[in-house]
Amino acid sequence: QPQLAESGGGLVQAGGSLRLSCSVRGFNLDGYIIAWFRQAPGKEREGISCISSRGGGISSNYIDSIRGRFTISRDGAKNTVYLQMDNLNTEDTATYYCASRNARRVGARCSSAVPGWRDMDYSGRGTLVTVSS
């Protein structure tokens, strides 16, 4: 059973930075899409970024509201995906989740858009990010 575990959340002031980690067990990152989602109180869960590696190539994507502030990356040796979040604002307050999808499956592609929650196969329990003003 694949397992994903998020860490790195916490309380930060507006303008600050945090780096989230998604540690993956049970499969190798190669050939998988790892996506970050977030859910703010009272709002729907939204996909914000993804990274996909297949056949030696790596692609990534972001939604517009975080593009230029957040950076997704991966460390294959550690089987971990990171989300570096800079210039945080109060609207970034949410529980952040990472989720996986086999990139060989027909359908959602990270290169075209961040996949939806229903496109993913496994996910972690989330880590809370709170940005104070």
Side-chain angles (χ1 to χ4, degrees):
Q1 180 79 5
Q3 293 182 340
L4 295 88
E6 306 90 343
S7 62
L11 175 64
V12 63
Q13 287 188 332
S17 299
L18 281 174
R19 187 178 79 158
L20 304 183
S21 299
C22 174
S23 178
V24 174
R25 294 184 177 182
F27 63 89
N28 191 288
L29 289 179
D30 292 333
Y32 282 83
I33 298 171
I34 303 296
W36 284 98
F37 295 80
R38 67 184 181 185
Q39 187 166 21
K43 295 186 178 181
E44 294 186 356
R45 192 169 306 184
E46 64 172 346
I48 61 172
S49 183
C50 61
I51 189 165
S52 177
S53 58
R54 185 179 176 186
I58 297 177
S59 61
S60 60
N61 217 329
Y62 305 88
I63 60 171
D64 289 343
S65 63
I66 68 165
R67 194 182 304 275
R69 299 189 298 122
F70 292 12
T71 304
I72 193 169
S73 62
R74 65 187 285 272
D75 185 330
K78 295 182 178 180
N79 227 33
T80 299
V81 172
Y82 303 99
L83 186 67
Q84 176 67 40
M85 307 187 297
D86 298 318
N87 194 21
L88 286 160
N89 59 60
T90 56
E91 294 183 350
D92 296 317
T93 293
T95 298
Y96 286 71
Y97 303 86
C98 62
S100 66
R101 174 187 170 92
N102 191 321
R104 300 173 182 86
R105 286 174 53 195
V106 175
R109 288 287 182 264
C110 177
S111 57
S112 56
V114 180
W117 182 254
R118 294 181 179 180
D119 295 322
M120 311 308 287
D121 300 322
Y122 300 97
S123 64
R125 296 183 176 181
T127 185
L128 178 62
V129 172
T130 303
V131 184
S132 63
S133 58

